[in-house]
């Protein structure tokens, strides 16, 4: 009897509204279950890049056609791309790229270690925050090329001079990224961690660091950008021995007024930057998926 009364008390849904709700449910389920094939996913990832490259080449050619500079000063894509391909087929070119990338990896790795240690210490100490917080930001905004006179005096023309500037360019951004991530850790998470018995190092290791990871990854990405820029400046200024790097090749092409080669090396530098940016993008998307923040 009570069951019959309950059914009578339930409001009746308008048939038109019921049909609309059913349609929305079917649409939502269809969107959740539909998955694009591998070819479609690859194309969706590549077409924005292909479009951007095509637009850039057209804009470049349009500037050449405008007659702003003579073609021997500013050659078009038709003159530069064959030179670019010719450089790609030389073993000496890839040796130069390998040396530049090795310097970048070593310098960035040192920057991560130093930046993480400094950021972790400063973020957990009010005294250190007041003493060094503004200094870290000041170092981050300081142009990396300004360090080279001091670097050359300290390390002379050597690998150390280049790595010194790369670390000083990247480590402050990494430290600031970690500090910002710790600062924006939700208070409710900290309270929950303390209720669960987390204190001191365990609180920092199991709660604060994971919570600050998105901002820390952003700091790593910015740190890489500063490291790469500092490295390119260093290879142009610090030339020693018979070492050949991308910066040395770029400088030599400029001295020979070989504009196609200059632009070719610049394209390589740009491509390396784009590839590293894509790697950071993969890491960021994986992190957001892990946190349930990925948007469809």
């Amino acid at each position: 009897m009570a069951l019959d009364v309950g059914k009578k008390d339930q409001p009746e849904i308008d048939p038109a509204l019921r049909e609309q709700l059913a349609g929305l449910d079917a649409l939502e389920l269809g969107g959740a279950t539909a998955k694009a094939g591998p070819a479609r996913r690859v194309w969706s990832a590549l077409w924005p890049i292909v479009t951007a490259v095509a637009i850039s080449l057209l804009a470049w050619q349009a500037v050449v056609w405008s007659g702003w500079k003579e073609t021997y000063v500013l050659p078009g894509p038709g003159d530069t791309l064959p030179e670019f391909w010719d450089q790609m087929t030389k073993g000496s070119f890839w040796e130069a790229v390998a040396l530049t990338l090795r310097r970048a990896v070593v310098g960035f790795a040192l920057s991560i270690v130093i930046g993480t240690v400094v950021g972790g210490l400063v973020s957990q100490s009010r005294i250190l925050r007041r003493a060094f917080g503004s200094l870290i930001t000041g170092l981050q905004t300081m142009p990396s090329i300004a360090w080279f006179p001091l670097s050359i005096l300290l390390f002379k023309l050597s690998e150390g001079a280049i790595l010194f500037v790369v670390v000083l360019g990247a480590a402050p951004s990494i430290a600031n990224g970690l500090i910002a991530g710790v600062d924006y850790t939700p208070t409710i998470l900290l309270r929950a961690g303390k209720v669960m018995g987390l204190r001191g190092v365990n609180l920092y290791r199991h709660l604060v660091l994971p919570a600050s990871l998105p901002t820390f990854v952003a700091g790593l990405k910015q740190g890489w950008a500063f490291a790469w820029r500092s490295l390119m400046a260093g290879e142009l200024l610090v030339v020693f021995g018979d070492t050949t790097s991308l910066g040395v090749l770029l400088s030599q092409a400029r001295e020979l007024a070989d504009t196609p080669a200059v632009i070719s090396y610049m394209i390589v530098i740009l491509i390396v930057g784009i590839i590293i940016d894509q790697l950071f993008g993969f890491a960021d998307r994986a992190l957001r998926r892990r946190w349930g923040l990925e948007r469809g």
Side-chain angles (χ1 to χ4, degrees):
M1 186 68 178
L3 181 60
D4 294 338
V5 173
K7 290 183 178 180
K8 291 179 180 179
D9 291 341
Q10 292 179 355
E12 294 184 0
I13 301 177
D14 183 70
L17 178 59
R18 183 184 293 109
E19 183 178 354
Q20 293 177 3
L21 293 175
L24 291 175
D25 291 340
L27 180 62
E28 182 178 358
L29 290 175
T33 56
K35 293 184 178 179
R40 187 178 181 85
R41 289 198 299 269
V42 171
W43 173 244
S44 65
L46 287 181
W47 78 260
I49 300 175
V50 173
T51 303
V53 171
I55 293 174
S56 300
L57 292 176
L58 287 175
W60 178 5
Q61 186 62 58
V63 173
V64 174
W65 282 336
S66 69
W68 176 57
K69 294 290 183 181
E70 298 293 336
T71 54
Y72 67 86
V73 177
L74 181 61
D79 297 323
T80 303
L81 295 182
E83 174 67 21
F84 172 75
W85 178 253
D86 182 61
Q87 293 293 334
M88 296 283 286
T89 59
K90 294 180 178 178
S92 58
F93 167 78
W94 289 109
E95 291 176 1
V97 172
L99 175 59
T100 297
L101 291 179
R102 179 176 61 80
R103 289 171 173 172
V105 170
V106 173
F108 189 55
L110 289 174
S111 301
I112 291 175
V113 173
I114 295 173
T116 302
V117 172
V118 172
L121 293 175
V122 172
S123 64
Q124 293 301 300
S125 172
R126 292 183 179 180
I127 296 176
L128 292 178
R129 176 75 63 94
R130 293 175 182 175
F132 297 104
S134 299
L135 177 61
I136 294 174
T137 302
L139 292 174
Q140 181 180 358
T141 59
M142 189 170 179
S144 58
I145 198 170
W147 288 105
F148 277 103
L150 175 62
S151 177
I152 293 173
L153 289 175
L154 293 175
F155 299 97
K156 303 187 183 301
L157 296 178
S158 64
E159 293 283 346
I162 297 176
L163 292 178
F164 177 75
V165 178
V166 170
V167 171
L168 284 177
S173 296
I174 297 172
N176 269 338
L178 181 56
I179 293 170
V182 172
D183 288 345
Y184 284 95
T185 301
T187 306
I188 190 171
L189 288 180
L190 296 176
R191 293 176 179 173
K194 292 178 180 179
V195 169
M196 296 174 64
L198 295 177
R199 295 290 189 277
V201 176
N202 287 331
L203 178 66
Y204 193 80
R205 174 185 175 186
H206 296 290
L207 192 148
V208 176
L209 279 181
S212 61
L213 196 56
T215 307
F216 183 51
V217 170
L220 289 175
K221 185 176 181 179
Q222 187 180 52
W224 164 259
F226 280 107
W228 188 238
R229 290 166 56 183
S230 301
L231 177 59
M232 289 299 101
E235 289 188 343
L236 287 171
L237 295 175
V238 182
V239 180
F240 56 92
D242 57 352
T243 59
T244 302
S245 61
L246 273 177
V248 172
L249 292 177
L250 186 62
S251 179
Q252 291 175 349
R254 191 266 307 168
E255 292 175 356
L256 297 173
D258 188 355
T259 309
V262 168
I263 299 177
S264 298
Y265 299 137
M266 292 174 63
I267 291 174
V268 173
I269 294 170
L270 177 63
I271 290 174
V272 172
I274 292 174
I275 292 174
I276 300 300
D277 178 76
Q278 291 296 315
L279 294 177
F280 276 110
F282 290 146
D284 181 65
R285 286 191 292 272
L287 183 62
R288 285 189 280 116
R289 281 195 300 268
R290 182 182 179 87
W291 284 34
L293 300 175
E294 183 71 15
R295 297 180 181 180

